[in-house]
Amino acid sequence: MKAQKMTPATPKAIKRIIRNTQAHWVGDGFPVTTMFSYNTHGADVSPFLMLDYAGPAMFEPSDRPRGVEQHPHRGFETVTIVYEGEVEHSDNAGNSGKIGPGDVQWMTAGRGILHEEMHGRDFTARGGVLEMIQLWVNLPAKDKMTAPAYQELAKAQIPVISLPGEAGTLRVIAGDYNGTRGAARTFTPINVFDMRLQAGGTTSLSLPDDFTTMALVLRGEVRVNGLKTLQPRDLALFELAGEDILLEATKDTAILLLNGAPIDEPIAGYGPFVMNTQDEIRQAFDDYRAGRF
């Protein structure tokens, strides 16, 4: 990302605003709204594949953890960002862990992994509010059969930047912000920024030209480039051309900003598998049924 400028010289205009209010359950632990997916938005969202926003939802105390039991993935990465609550992960590669508010889990499914995602046991026992994001990130064809991997990024590991003029803060989960590198390792150029803007705060981001860019408002209200105002659960998809985005918060605002180099390759997906051809999807099912994950 380039040096920050307070007046956008080459604005990156909003292409459209995506609003989805239809929620569905993933397992019995995650009431989610799918904000975008490659099935409905195609190459416009590449290198990202899907974003599910779970909650905020209140769960009563229980003696049985809720969630999604063991299931497979191949050909992409899952990124889980927790805002409230706790999620425990385990997989057949021997990885396990628990993430809570501010933590991030970045899992590379690669050639194949079986994993489960459940509410944390402590959270299950006491109950409370769960709010989280799960983002799917595509892998280029040359990396789709890479070895599975797991990055657990604790809140303390993620760099936090104070924005100029006391406008707010920006956490660099992945990518680069004015020379500060993010905590996550990625296969292609990707910026994932978790932003907090104070009411009245103004900041300008200078992002790479020709990169896919999206901004999801989680709470608050923000005016973009002095033209359009985004409310909670509004997702702005920007034009590829242009570099600068001016953000003016009219309320205390939380934003997840995604920015990445498109992967110009065919996508073939079915359920938990995302590859490049239908033959590769059939092979994924064969390998899963044969226990080769």
Side-chain angles (χ1 to χ4, degrees):
M1 206 185 102
K2 301 178 182 178
Q4 195 176 66
K5 295 176 276 187
M6 290 309 297
T7 303
T10 312
K12 188 180 280 288
I14 291 178
K15 185 174 184 177
R16 65 177 179 270
I17 296 173
I18 299 168
R19 296 183 175 98
N20 186 6
T21 58
Q22 295 183 339
H24 63 278
W25 282 87
V26 176
D28 64 355
F30 305 107
V32 309
T33 302
T34 300
M35 300 306 304
F36 67 81
S37 78
Y38 69 95
N39 287 317
T40 54
H41 298 92
D44 280 354
V45 298
S46 180
F48 309 105
L49 293 168
M50 187 188 75
L51 188 148
D52 277 349
Y53 180 24
M58 181 70 190
F59 287 88
E60 297 299 323
S62 174
D63 58 2
R64 183 186 66 84
R66 307 171 180 93
V68 185
E69 296 182 346
Q70 192 176 81
H71 58 283
H73 289 300
R74 173 179 277 184
F76 62 99
E77 302 183 287
T78 66
V79 181
T80 305
I81 305 169
V82 176
Y83 294 98
E84 293 190 76
E86 291 175 347
V87 177
E88 291 191 15
H89 161 95
S90 63
D91 62 45
N92 68 333
N95 301 303
S96 63
K98 179 175 71 175
I99 55 174
D103 300 336
V104 176
Q105 171 197 293
W106 198 296
M107 186 189 77
T108 304
R111 63 177 176 246
I113 199 166
L114 306 176
H115 79 141
E116 65 175 33
E117 297 162 293
M118 309 295 291
H119 291 188
R121 282 161 286 188
D122 294 339
F123 175 76
T124 297
R126 68 174 181 267
V129 174
L130 179 77
E131 183 183 12
M132 55 169 276
I133 293 285
Q134 184 161 98
L135 171 71
W136 288 14
V137 179
N138 202 9
L139 289 171
K142 66 182 181 63
D143 296 315
K144 282 191 175 293
M145 297 297 282
T146 193
Y150 176 75
Q151 302 175 66
E152 186 171 296
L153 310 174
K155 180 180 179 180
Q157 296 175 261
I158 300 171
V160 181
I161 307 298
S162 295
L163 296 171
E166 299 182 349
T169 59
L170 182 151
R171 298 199 312 152
V172 191
I173 295 172
D176 179 273
Y177 176 84
N178 284 354
T180 297
R181 294 293 304 168
R185 301 183 304 275
T186 68
F187 283 81
T188 57
I190 291 172
N191 295 306
V192 179
F193 299 153
D194 182 24
M195 302 179 66
R196 299 291 183 277
L197 297 178
Q198 297 182 23
T202 297
T203 194
S204 179
L205 302 177
S206 187
L207 301 163
D209 189 31
D210 291 332
F211 272 36
T212 297
T213 303
M214 290 176 280
L216 172 63
V217 176
L218 304 176
R219 61 186 59 85
E221 184 179 273
V222 65
R223 192 159 178 80
V224 180
N225 293 340
L227 297 173
K228 294 187 178 180
T229 299
L230 303 182
Q231 307 284 345
R233 294 182 181 268
D234 282 352
L235 184 139
L237 173 65
F238 291 82
E239 299 283 359
L240 289 176
E243 298 178 342
D244 298 332
I245 298 173
L246 180 67
L247 301 173
E248 302 169 275
T250 53
K251 301 177 181 177
D252 289 348
T253 300
I255 300 171
L256 180 67
L257 189 136
L258 309 175
N259 175 252
I263 298 173
D264 187 18
E265 295 174 350
I267 293 178
Y270 190 93
F273 308 136
V274 181
M275 303 299 289
N276 298 106
T277 69
Q278 291 300 322
D279 284 345
E280 290 171 336
I281 294 296
R282 286 188 283 270
Q283 185 65 55
F285 275 101
D286 289 345
D287 290 345
Y288 170 58
R289 295 187 187 110
R292 290 192 287 267
F293 274 33

